[in-house]
Amino acid sequence: MYRFLVKKFVKNHEKVKDSYVRNAYSKFAATIGIATNLLLCTFKIVIGALFGSIAILADGVNNLTDASSSVILLIGTKLSAKPADKEHPFGHARIEYLTGLMISFIILLLGFQLLLASVKKALHPTPIEFNWLTVLVLLAAIGIKIWQARFYWYIGRTINSSTIKATSADSRNDVIATSSVLVSILVGEFFKIQIDGWIGALVALFIIYSGIQLIRETASPLLGTPNDPDLVKEIESRILAYPGVKGLHDLVVHSYGPARIFATVHIEVAYRDD
């Protein structure tokens, strides 16, 4: 289905190396993320408040952070598409990395806040009012998150975006978190054991772990990563294919953001005395 949506809403979707098409992919992914996460957040917070479940509330707030992350992704995509100017001669594409880093810190902060609330509930447990509507909402949420993770992964892989791939991993983590919440509700109803607070704490720890992992992944391109061997081989082969070129050395590749790469190289040619 996500392939159909891309063909429907992303113009010239097959030209993934074009910066404008790449930005269109990112904007589309962010828009889908905002819509689906706000829907899940609303349902979970309402259900959690009605039936007194801190775990469902925690999961709902997690979806709210996901929606906020999609908003930041949308803004970051727009800013990173700005052309080069006098102050930034290599363009603004690295803003995408900064966007991913900002999203990661938001996830980490919310994780700590949810951990405090969950530990308080675990130390002072109260029964959760069981309702099959809650179960249906959580099952639907799991299904949507599975689709969302696959959708983000498809977009991230198509345009080679580490930020969107990280968002896919976050959606995958949400599947595990929501499944844990569902288990706590069923255990409370059928075994009369209140583990809601502890499950909420586990979800919060999972969010914290995800935030740390995302910080590492999004900060890496800013600090600098090794050159892609395939890219280096392609550059070398193209240069050596020119008539008169005898060799090359000191090839240096600089990444100023996704699809924004500059390279310098010393080319060896035969000496000619005119």
Side-chain angles (χ1 to χ4, degrees), residues 9 42 46 52 63 77 79 94-95 103 123 161 168 188 205 237 259:
F9 293 101
T42 302
V46 169
N63 291 139
T77 299
L79 293 176
R94 278 186 175 175
I95 290 178
I103 291 171
L123 295 176
S161 170
S168 171
L205 288 172
S237 63

Side-chain angles (χ1 to χ4, degrees), residues 51-208:
F51 300 107
S53 171
I54 187 66
I56 297 178
L57 282 172
D59 206 29
V61 173
N62 183 34
N63 291 139
L64 181 60
T65 64
D66 292 339
S68 302
S69 299
S70 296
V71 172
I72 294 173
L73 174 62
L74 189 62
I75 296 172
T77 299
K78 185 175 180 62
L79 293 176
S80 65
K82 291 175 61 179
D85 53 32
K86 185 178 180 180
E87 289 77 19
H88 306 92
F90 296 103
H92 300 79
R94 278 186 175 175
I95 290 178
E96 181 173 324
Y97 299 145
L98 294 174
T99 299
L101 198 58
M102 189 181 302
I103 291 171
S104 304
F105 277 114
I106 291 175
I107 292 172
L108 190 63
L109 177 62
L110 264 294
F112 279 113
Q113 292 179 339
L114 292 173
L115 180 61
L116 292 175
S118 298
V119 169
K120 184 177 179 180
K121 181 67 180 287
L123 295 176
H124 305 284
T126 55
I128 301 173
E129 184 180 344
F130 180 82
N131 190 292
W132 283 109
L133 176 61
T134 303
V135 175
L136 291 175
V137 168
L138 293 180
L139 286 173
I142 292 170
I144 291 173
K145 277 295 178 181
I146 290 173
W147 180 89
Q148 197 181 76
R150 290 173 60 85
F151 169 76
Y152 281 136
W153 181 254
Y154 172 74
I155 298 293
R157 183 183 60 184
T158 301
I159 65 173
N160 192 27
S161 170
S162 58
T163 300
I164 297 180
K165 286 180 180 178
T167 307
S168 171
D170 189 38
S171 296
R172 180 200 61 205
N173 294 342
D174 289 342
V175 172
I176 299 173
T178 303
S179 298
S180 301
V181 173
L182 181 58
V183 168
S184 73
I185 292 174
L186 295 175
V187 168
E189 172 64 15
F190 295 106
F191 296 96
K192 307 305 178 184
I193 302 175
Q194 300 302 323
I195 60 172
D196 181 60
W198 296 111
I199 291 294
L202 289 175
V203 171
L205 288 172
F206 203 71
I207 293 171
I208 292 171

